[in-house]
Amino acid sequence: MAMTRRQLLAALGAAAIIPAGVWRLLPSARAAGEFPLELSEAEWRKRLTPREYEVLREEDTEAPGSSELLHEKRAGVYTCAGCDQPVFRSETKFDSGTGWPSFYAPIDGAIGTREDRRLLVMVRTEVHCSRCGGHLGHVFEDGPEPTGLRYCLNGVALDFVPAGEAPA
Ligand SMILES: [Zn+2]
């Protein structure tokens, strides 16, 4: 069976292709003053779990199929695990088959994007929280209607808040 474009993109997105340590040699593209919430590296390390830090602050990618949020079907809001800003709604979540939580649209103004050239074979569009700059995942142009976009996210970078409950 030939690989579909989506499976190929999913495979390329997997951290397994490039050792995580190689990515971390590259300097961060973040500039001081770029985001409303900016903390020192030490403060982020205190606030986040080690895994959250690697994904949100160092742009690591979680293993596909590893997030409990893949199976989350309840109505509610997904917030940035770094700063609790609501970033995606359950209504825009879909099963992409990639092994990463996937959405076709963000909450207005909740995310920013930038070009990511770390995978030398392709240019990807990186997705981060607009409040703290935390890395959430990437967006690809092979998603479902109505946007045609696929926000491919790390579950570890998100927290789920069921409808009717206040964010933690
Ligand atoms: Zn954030």
Side-chain angles (χ1 to χ4, degrees):
M1 194 178 79
M3 247 190 169
T4 65
R5 180 177 149 79
R6 178 170 297 176
Q7 286 168 328
L8 178 65
L9 288 171
L12 287 171
I17 292 193
I18 297 179
V22 172
W23 291 9
R24 288 179 204 145
L25 295 176
L26 301 173
S28 166
R30 294 184 196 97
E34 191 176 352
F35 299 104
L37 176 66
E38 294 191 347
L39 302 176
S40 70
E41 187 181 326
E43 288 169 322
W44 279 120
R45 284 195 185 277
K46 204 181 290 180
R47 184 177 175 126
L48 303 173
T49 67
R51 196 64 192 118
E52 286 172 343
Y53 185 91
E54 288 169 355
V55 172
L56 284 160
R57 309 311 307 177
E58 297 184 323
E59 302 188 27
D60 197 7
T61 297
E62 72 187 12
S66 64
S67 175
E68 290 176 13
L69 294 181
L70 279 174
H71 313 292
E72 181 57 69
K73 304 244 190 282
R74 289 174 290 169
V77 160
Y78 293 82
T79 59
C80 167
C83 73
D84 298 332
Q85 167 162 271
V87 283
F88 289 85
R89 289 185 216 286
S90 57
E91 297 94 303
T92 63
K93 191 171 187 279
F94 70 100
D95 182 3
S96 65
T98 59
W100 287 285
S102 301
F103 300 78
Y104 62 75
I107 290 173
D108 278 351
I111 65 146
T113 61
R114 70 172 159 255
E115 204 171 80
D116 178 353
R117 293 181 172 274
R118 288 173 306 157
L119 276 187
L120 299 178
V121 293
M122 68 186 290
V123 178
R124 295 176 298 169
T125 302
E126 188 270 350
V127 172
H128 54 265
C129 169
S130 67
R131 181 162 179 255
C132 73
H135 172 68
L136 303 177
H138 291 85
V139 58
F140 302 94
E141 296 182 346
D142 59 2
E145 295 300 317
T147 62
L149 298 175
R150 173 171 61 92
Y151 289 83
C152 182
L153 305 181
N154 293 285
V156 73
L158 302 171
D159 288 321
F160 176 68
V161 182
E165 288 182 26

